[in-house]
Amino acid sequence: MKLLGYCLGLLAAVGLDNGVVGFMGFRNPSSSALYRKKPLFMVEESKGLVPAGVFSHHACIQTANITAATSFYGLLGFEIERKFYAGDARAAWMTQPGTEKPFVLEIIEVPIGYWPEQTPRRAVDVGNIPIWVGLHHFAFEVSSFIDGKKAAGNSTYNLRDWMKDLNATSIEKIGQPLDVAQPPDLRPVGRDLLDVMFVYDTDGTLIEFWHNCTFILIENERKKNEAQQAAGSEG
């Protein structure tokens, strides 16, 4: 609890106080001070009935164009593992090679005759209506890639730079820019500080990318301690 207040206080100190908490419609720049005073909500921990026998496997995304969809996720390192038919629909499993137990994206192309009035579209834009219940988005962490860039000598490389690089690749490979729902934005998540962005895929599915920036909090604390020590020695 104290740590959460500490993290939020540091955010205010570095000028990130306005509306860092929340996503899109939940953002309220005037409420951040009030947010810091609220107690952390408590959720009863739930124990799985068969924790050793349940594993994540895949997320299914229905698409109007399986070629466009698989090309988009190819930008993120996914490759087609298998192609098959789900009833009348063309389908594919996509995985990221090199992982021991890869998470699967199942892409299913809904035949055009199944769309009302022949117009494929999402029922709701969850990015602009964040109070919608049910699945809102799924996320990919890109910390290792960005930290690798920093370690290789590009010390200022961040999520915004990664977004620009991915956008350039998207234009080159599939002929269209990223559809950005929200550009990179720092926000506290428990004891960590994350840089977070959201994009839409080719069918409007909301996807989050994030980079762990907790080092900012550590660096600010170090500078604060050095300033206090300097002030003490002068006194």
Side-chain angles (χ1 to χ4, degrees):
M1 179 61 189
K2 291 182 179 179
L3 184 58
L4 178 63
Y6 161 76
C7 292
L8 289 168
L10 280 176
L11 283 171
V14 296
L16 299 171
D17 183 55
N18 290 331
V20 298
V21 179
F23 170 65
M24 295 200 167
F26 287 119
R27 180 178 302 278
N28 186 348
S30 64
S31 67
S32 54
L34 294 175
Y35 178 87
R36 290 198 300 273
K37 296 177 183 178
K38 292 182 180 180
L40 186 64
F41 63 89
M42 302 302 294
V43 178
E44 184 177 351
E45 184 177 359
S46 175
K47 300 293 185 181
L49 295 177
V50 282
V54 179
F55 305 94
S56 61
H57 181 263
H58 75 267
C60 177
I61 300 172
Q62 294 189 157
T63 178
N65 186 322
I66 195 169
T67 301
T70 54
S71 295
F72 174 84
Y73 287 102
L75 296 175
L76 308 180
F78 283 86
E79 297 180 359
I80 295 176
E81 177 193 288
R82 67 186 69 178
K83 300 177 182 180
F84 58 99
Y85 277 89
D88 295 330
R90 295 191 299 172
W93 277 5
M94 301 189 73
T95 59
Q96 291 176 308
T99 53
E100 181 178 352
K101 191 173 180 62
F103 183 73
V104 177
L105 286 181
E106 183 177 60
I107 312 295
I108 298 179
E109 182 182 71
V110 179
I112 192 66
Y114 287 76
W115 296 103
E117 300 179 358
Q118 308 297 305
T119 306
R121 64 182 180 86
R122 284 186 61 82
V124 62
D125 182 348
V126 293
N128 289 322
I129 310 178
I131 59 174
W132 204 265
V133 296
L135 181 64
H136 185 267
H137 68 273
F138 62 98
F140 296 102
E141 181 182 3
V142 295
S143 299
S144 60
F145 181 87
I146 293 176
D147 293 342
K149 283 279 191 177
K150 291 178 178 293
N154 193 347
S155 61
T156 62
Y157 194 87
N158 57 26
L159 187 63
R160 192 172 295 273
D161 295 318
W162 180 86
M163 179 183 70
K164 291 177 181 178
D165 288 346
L166 183 63
N167 186 64
T169 303
S170 180
I171 293 172
E172 176 187 353
K173 298 293 185 182
I174 63 177
Q176 61 186 46
L178 294 178
D179 186 0
V180 179
Q182 179 181 302
D185 176 49
L186 287 168
R187 62 186 60 187
V189 178
R191 64 182 61 192
D192 293 324
L193 179 64
L194 305 184
D195 200 6
V196 176
M197 64 172 284
F198 292 84
V199 304
Y200 295 109
D201 74 0
T202 52
D203 293 284
T205 302
L206 193 62
I207 306 171
E208 173 186 345
F209 298 101
W210 60 270
H211 172 222
N212 194 320
C213 292
T214 307
F215 64 88
I216 293 177
L217 301 180
I218 298 173
E219 180 64 13
N220 279 323
E221 180 65 11
R222 184 187 65 78
K223 290 179 179 179
K224 178 182 177 182
N225 291 336
E226 289 179 351
Q228 290 177 342
Q229 292 174 3
S233 61
E234 291 176 359

